[in-house]
Structure formats: C-alpha cells, structure tokens
Amino acid sequence: DPIFFPKDGFLNLRRAILPPTQTTLRQPLKPSSTDVVVLCGGLGTRLGHLTANTPKPLLPIDVSPFLLRLLLRLQEEGFSRFILAAHYLPDPFRKFLKIHQRYLPGAKLILEPQRLGTGGGLRYAIEQVSSDTFLALNGDSWVQQPLQPVLEEHERLDREFTVVAVRASHVQGQVLKKGVWQLGLDGEIKGFETQDAVKEGWVNAGCYLMSRAMVASWPVGSYSLEANLPLLFKGWRAGVYCSEGRLLDIGTPDNYERASVILGSMVLS
C-alpha cells in the first residue's frame, strides 16, 4: 500500500540524516567503490512448489543459482561489495554464501526482522551501505545493460536517483505491474504510472543508482518501492536511463523457463 509523508518538514530534514562528506573533491563514481544492495526478500508465490524450500533468487539455472550468475556478472563489471537483503528462508542464503565465499568474498547477508517490501527493505539495508551512491536491484531480474554507462550518466547529470528503464517490447514474457515512466526531452522524470498490463513505453527495470542520504531519509517500515517511487525521490535530482537492453525476471513459471533457456548456456567465469 502507498505510504504517506508529512505535509512539511520530512523531506527538508534529509541533509541532517547523515553527516556531510568531509572531502572537498568528489571521487569519480566507479563500480569498485560502489556498494550493491540486492533485494532478495520476496516469497515467490507465483512459482508455487518451486519456492517452497528455495528462495526465488537461488533457483537453479542449469546447475547454478540465478543469484550466483547475477553476482558474477556484476563482478565482471567491477562491483565487489554486495549486500543481500533477505527475510524468507534465510538458511539457504547462509549456505549459498558459505559455498561461494571463495568467489564472492565481498558479499554479506542482512536479514529483515519482518517482511519489509522493496522500499522498506532498502531503508533497512542502508545502515550497511558505506558508499555515498549505491546500486540497488532485484535479486530475481536480469537486465541486459552494462552498468558503467549508467554510472557515467548519473554522475555527469549530478543525479541523486537514476532508474534503468527498458522498452516494453524488450521485456521477456508478460509485463505486469512494472510501471511506465513519463519522460521529458532530456530524460527527466515527468511521471510514473503503474498498470496491470503495459504495452508500450519505458518500463521500470528494477535497477537503480541511489544516493545513500536520500534512502536514509525514507521512513522506517514496510512498504513497496515501486508503488511509492514519485514520493520517495520527490525533492531529489532524479532521472531515467533509457536502455535498449532486455529485461527478464524469473517470477513466473514461464519466465523461469525462459531464463533457463536464455541464461543456461552462459559459461560462468
């Protein structure tokens, strides 16, 4: 359900949430110094028996968990500090990190005290984020978009919030409730609309660059990020990175089968 903010005062306090940065020169935004929060708290109910004992991000693609493929791909791009935010079935995540510690030495697990949703989950995870700007993404989605250009645009336009969006026609499987962005001529955000079925437009890909201070200003509690996006970045410099890549999530049996076909042939390095 949507959350509601006070009429005044709340957003104006954002700069008091975190102490100001003491450096006089801003460091270039690089993957190696950018934390990554992976949202892994979903129940995966649409997948039925497949997620009864296995969290959705840990479902196998060929013989390797989807999450392993996602994190190794991010490592290839230079990211190394991963924060997995989970709640449902935590033990498989602990086992996953123990098994793959050699390949993911910078990964750690945080457990939400209750189901917090994507927005509340990010707010809870922010206490573990050390970089001023961080990457957040869904642990059940694969976006065919190199992230270095996204970092460069975010920095060049001096944004505090950048979301990756793909064309509706580039979403694998049925597009449900992902939301469509209304954009200005320079990619600035004019509006965001959630629909039951999206046929055209720029669709939210669930991949974000965010200011740590911005997320720290959000309320504590359980709420959806997607349902409250316009409220959550109101007053902050925000924009959309329009990607010609494709989006695939594994949240339905059909899409999980597609992922097995599309990603299963990829060789893990």
Side-chain angles (χ1 to χ4, degrees):
D1 295 332
I3 55 174
F4 298 93
F5 295 92
K7 292 183 178 179
D8 54 17
F10 177 76
L11 291 173
N12 292 331
L13 293 175
R14 65 180 184 267
R15 302 198 183 280
I17 300 295
L18 295 174
T21 303
Q22 300 300 315
T23 55
T24 56
L25 295 177
R26 177 183 295 182
Q27 297 298 315
L29 192 57
K30 298 179 180 179
S32 59
S33 56
T34 302
D35 289 352
V36 180
V37 176
V38 185
L39 296 169
C40 302
L43 299 178
T45 52
R46 291 176 298 171
L47 288 164
H49 71 279
L50 294 173
T51 51
N53 299 303
T54 304
K56 183 168 46 173
L58 298 183
L59 289 175
I61 302 295
D62 193 10
V63 295
S64 302
F66 176 85
L67 182 60
L68 179 63
R69 293 176 177 273
L70 178 63
L71 296 182
L72 290 181
R73 173 207 158 188
L74 291 169
Q75 275 195 165
E76 289 180 353
E77 295 198 50
F79 297 94
S80 60
R81 304 195 316 236
F82 304 114
I83 301 166
L84 310 183
H87 175 73
Y88 177 62
L89 296 176
D91 286 343
F93 286 106
R94 295 188 181 101
K95 183 178 179 181
F96 169 81
L97 289 180
K98 184 176 181 180
I99 291 173
H100 301 292
Q101 184 178 16
R102 174 184 175 186
Y103 304 104
L104 302 168
K108 63 181 176 181
L109 175 67
I110 61 169
L111 297 179
E112 300 168 4
Q114 63 188 62
R115 287 187 62 207
L116 296 176
T118 46
L122 272 179
R123 176 60 182 87
Y124 184 78
I126 202 64
E127 307 299 333
Q128 302 296 322
V129 172
S130 60
S131 56
D132 291 338
T133 299
F134 71 99
L135 176 69
L137 68 166
N138 295 325
D140 62 352
S141 299
W142 187 278
V143 186
Q144 290 179 323
Q145 170 59 50
L147 292 171
Q148 183 60 43
V150 185
L151 268 68
E152 291 172 358
E153 179 174 294
H154 182 87
E155 185 172 42
R156 175 172 55 83
L157 298 178
D158 194 28
R159 289 176 181 162
E160 294 160 308
F161 174 90
T162 295
V163 56
V164 176
V166 302
R167 296 184 186 276
S169 59
H170 288 184
V171 178
Q172 298 290 317
Q174 192 176 19
V175 187
L176 293 175
K177 298 182 180 179
K178 293 186 179 297
V180 174
W181 296 98
Q182 287 86 46
L183 306 179
L185 294 178
D186 296 322
E188 69 273 21
I189 296 173
K190 296 295 187 181
F192 180 71
E193 181 180 358
T194 56
Q195 304 174 11
D196 286 341
V198 176
K199 295 182 179 180
E200 60 182 17
W202 292 100
V203 174
N204 183 8
C207 179
Y208 314 89
L209 279 173
M210 298 183 176
S211 158
R212 178 174 176 262
M214 180 187 73
V215 178
S217 74
W218 295 355
V220 174
S222 176
Y223 52 92
S224 164
L225 171 65
E226 295 79 6
N228 296 285
L229 273 171
L231 285 173
L232 292 171
F233 64 70
K234 184 178 180 180
W236 302 83
R237 297 183 298 276
V240 175
Y241 183 94
C242 296
S243 170
E244 294 295 342
R246 296 187 176 274
L247 170 65
L248 171 66
D249 73 67
I250 61 171
T252 66
D254 287 346
N255 278 2
Y256 177 52
E257 185 175 345
R258 286 188 180 94
S260 298
V261 173
I262 295 171
L263 305 179
S265 60
M266 298 176 59
V267 177
L268 298 181
S269 57

